Amino acid sequence: MKLIVGLGNPGREYDGTRHNAGFDWVDQLAHKLQVSLRPESRFHGLCAQIRQKDADVWLLEPQTFMNRSGQSVAALCQFYKIQPQDMIVVHDELDLPPGVAKLKKGGGLGGHNGLKDIAAKMGTQDFWRLRIGIGHPGDRNAVVGYVLHPPRKEEAPLIDEAIARSLEVWPLIVQGACEAAMLKLHTKA
């Protein structure tokens, strides 16, 4: 992997919301790796470059708002010649309950506007996604309000647990052993 993208919305008013699960994951990874994300205007986001096993890996949090995440991702990928199969996008997932994290490559976009914009700007849906379950409000008309609010008191620790558990497979992800990471993550008790 050459690029790890965490999706979310910038600004204090979105801190701690369900939609910012991707930002939360990348923030925790950066903390674990003892690196700081810094604003990078040419990539429209917060970035950090790390060295893992003699390879450069970028961490990116687009600051373009969710619906325009592809602008940030495409700018960094074009500049560093990163192919879609060499990146993983970490995002909130309505179709998984809180406490569940799943890894997959390609597939549908599930109505996720951040993924839609990345796929449109990259010209493919064939990239890895780490999906952090946030649950569904039960009514598709309530989705926007749901994702832009913090999780309920009983959901927050489950989401935090899914993030922590999925961070455990980081060594496999960074080596490009995503199938092994997927197997390990999906078979955890």
Side-chain angles (χ1 to χ4, degrees), residues 13-84:
E13 65 270 31
Y14 299 107
D15 283 350
T17 62
R18 292 177 179 96
H19 223 14
N20 278 25
F23 277 7
D24 295 342
W25 194 93
V26 169
D27 286 342
Q28 289 186 37
L29 177 62
H31 179 77
K32 180 178 178 171
L33 297 173
Q34 300 178 334
V35 297
S36 296
L37 295 160
R38 303 209 185 288
E40 183 62 66
S41 60
R42 66 185 162 165
F43 303 136
H44 315 283
L46 300 176
C47 302
Q49 184 180 21
I50 58 172
R51 193 93 175 135
Q52 296 281 300
K53 305 266 185 189
D54 299 325
D56 290 328
V57 179
W58 283 92
L59 305 182
L60 174 65
E61 291 180 357
Q63 299 295 292
T64 53
F65 287 95
M66 187 66 79
N67 297 354
R68 293 180 47 230
S69 298
Q71 178 184 5
S72 177
V73 173
L76 194 143
C77 286
Q78 287 167 1
F79 190 85
Y80 289 107
K81 297 177 178 31
I82 297 172
Q83 298 302 310

Side-chain angles (χ1 to χ4, degrees), residues 3 8 14 24 31-32 37 41 46 53 74-75 78 81 96 106 109 119 123 125 128 149 152 157 159-160 174 186 189:
L3 173 60
Y14 299 107
D24 295 342
H31 179 77
K32 180 178 178 171
L37 295 160
S41 60
L46 300 176
K53 305 266 185 189
Q78 287 167 1
K81 297 177 178 31
L96 294 175
L109 303 173
Q125 295 176 202
W128 284 94
H149 282 88
R152 292 190 313 265
I159 294 169
D160 291 343
V174 76
H186 295 189

